């Protein structure tokens, strides 16, 4: 399933809503560029909504880590929201659940952050 995404933002964060399979294909570098552009605009909080993601490959995991690294290098943070059960298991297996803060939904992030 081809990856698509859209962006939004509010006073708390920039939001990246992803739909499809996060496999690090040709869209991958664009996602990293989206984070880089947000950093240039002064963003320090980036929320990646995974509710529409059904599969993540090792390259997709690499993309998430690259985005996190870019934000942390400027004192920012990346949060993940709404992972499916499959994606939650992957985050646990790879121990990324210890690196990323994961919220049940974007609304949950807005309430708790």
């Amino acid at each position: 399933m081809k990856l698509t995404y859209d962006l939004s933002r509010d006073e708390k964060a920039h939001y990246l809503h992803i739909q499809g399979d996060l496999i690090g294909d040709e869209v991958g570098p664009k996602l990293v560029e989206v984070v880089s552009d947000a950093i240039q605009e002064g963003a320090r909080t980036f929320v990646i909504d995974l509710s529409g993601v059904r599969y993540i490959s090792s390259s997709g995991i690499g993309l998430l880590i690259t985005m996190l690294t870019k934000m942390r290098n400027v004192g920012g943070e990346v949060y993940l929201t709404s992972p499916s059960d499959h994606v939650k298991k992957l985050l646990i297996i790879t121990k990324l659940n210890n690196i990323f803060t994961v919220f049940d939904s974007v609304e949950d992030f807005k309430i708790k952050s």
Side-chain angles (χ1 to χ4, degrees), residues 81-102:
T81 66
S82 310
S84 67
D85 287 341
H86 172 74
V87 173
K88 276 184 195 171
K89 287 178 189 165
L90 182 66
L91 294 172
I92 291 167
I93 290 167
T94 59
K95 302 220 184 298
L96 290 176
N97 61 321
N98 296 325
I99 296 170
F100 286 96
T101 301
V102 182

Side-chain angles (χ1 to χ4, degrees), residues 12-16 18 22 31-32 34-36 38-39 43-50 60-61 63-81 91 96-103 109 113:
K12 283 191 174 216
H14 282 65
Y15 302 90
L16 177 63
I18 302 174
L22 186 56
L31 295 177
V32 173
V34 163
V35 172
S36 296
I39 289 169
R44 294 299 176 264
T45 305
F46 210 89
V47 176
I48 302 175
D49 178 8
L50 299 173
I61 289 170
L63 280 171
L64 292 175
I65 292 170
T66 299
M67 290 186 266
L68 178 67
T69 302
K70 284 184 165 292
M71 284 302 285
R72 286 192 175 168
N73 284 344
V74 296
E77 190 61 52
V78 172
Y79 300 98
L80 304 179
T81 66
L91 294 172
L96 290 176
N97 61 321
N98 296 325
I99 296 170
F100 286 96
T101 301
V102 182
F103 290 92
F109 162 79
S113 65

